[in-house]
Amino acid sequence: MGEGRRSRKKCLAYVAAFIVFQTAVILVFALTVMKIKSPKVRFNAMVVESFSSSNSTATSINMKLLAQLTIKNTNFGHFKYDESTLVILHKGVPLGEHVIPKGRTKAKKTQKFEISVDVSTARGSGPELRNEINSGILKLSSQAKLSGKVHLFKVIKKKKSGEMKCDWDINLGTRQVENLNCN
């Protein structure tokens, strides 16, 4: 009778140890894999494709910017996002925009695509814009917000959004993009 009790206690000890081990594995899994982060949206590179000014004083400039936009998804599930608009700004005034079509970025991948944006300083005005044009350095910024859902294991869906805010300068003499900084 003593041996039966001992083997029952031993069995219960093994079951308890197994339960503790499984709880630890589930806890580690939940804290690492299941932690859903917002995707990162950035410009990687940007160039001025075409450039023209309307008059000799160059108070109105039209240009086409080509940029590589990246969406980095660090999650273990894919990120499905809705259509969004990327806006090019000068001191908060929109000078151009581009529609980002709805899409999907795979798990643990970075999606890259080329965009083209027509920018016109005729949409903006004021002495600051004229002073920057006359100085030869035009300070621009961009912003976009991709809203969507991260899908984990086709069961868990969590709403997340990736925001982009970039600042850069355009050297009007060389027509080069300088000091591109995204955060």
Side-chain angles (χ1 to χ4, degrees):
M1 194 125 183
E3 267 185 47
R5 272 185 139 168
R6 203 176 309 153
S7 72
R8 232 181 280 137
K9 284 184 179 181
K10 211 181 219 184
C11 183
L12 286 174
Y14 285 136
V15 168
F18 180 74
I19 290 172
V20 168
F21 176 73
Q22 286 294 79
T23 303
V25 168
I26 291 170
L27 186 63
V28 167
F29 182 74
L31 292 175
T32 57
V33 175
M34 303 301 276
K35 187 173 183 179
I36 299 174
K37 300 174 196 139
S38 293
K40 294 173 177 60
V41 183
R42 302 282 184 265
F43 277 140
N44 269 359
M46 186 183 305
V47 295
V48 178
E49 183 184 45
S50 62
F51 183 92
S52 64
S53 59
S54 63
N55 57 29
S56 60
T57 59
T59 56
S60 179
I61 295 173
N62 297 313
M63 66 183 114
K64 181 177 271 195
L65 297 175
L66 290 179
Q68 184 183 63
L69 185 71
T70 61
I71 303 169
K72 184 177 183 179
N73 181 12
T74 59
N75 296 300
F76 284 94
H78 68 271
F79 175 62
K80 198 171 185 180
Y81 53 91
D82 299 325
E83 184 177 278
S84 179
T85 303
L86 177 131
V87 182
I88 306 292
L89 306 158
H90 176 267
K91 307 282 186 196
V93 177
L95 301 182
E97 60 184 44
H98 178 80
V99 174
I100 301 169
K102 69 180 182 176
R104 177 180 145 164
T105 302
K106 294 180 181 177
K108 296 297 222 179
K109 298 286 182 191
T110 300
Q111 180 181 9
K112 298 178 183 179
F113 49 96
E114 307 293 323
I115 64 166
S116 173
V117 184
D118 292 317
V119 176
S120 174
T121 59
R123 297 178 188 171
S125 63
E128 286 182 5
L129 181 60
R130 281 193 297 276
N131 289 341
E132 284 186 21
I133 291 172
N134 291 334
S135 74
I137 303 290
L138 183 60
K139 296 180 181 300
L140 296 176
S141 63
S142 65
Q143 62 185 38
K145 182 176 182 177
L146 288 178
S147 297
K149 292 181 183 177
V150 175
H151 297 251
L152 287 176
F153 312 116
K154 298 184 181 183
V155 177
I156 300 170
K157 296 176 185 174
K158 179 95 174 184
K159 286 185 179 182
K160 286 291 180 179
S161 61
E163 293 190 42
M164 176 188 72
K165 291 185 181 178
C166 297
D167 298 308
W168 70 90
D169 301 332
I170 294 183
N171 186 323
L172 300 176
T174 62
R175 298 183 178 141
Q176 297 290 316
V177 174
E178 300 172 345
N179 305 322
L180 178 60
N181 181 26
C182 294
N183 48 357

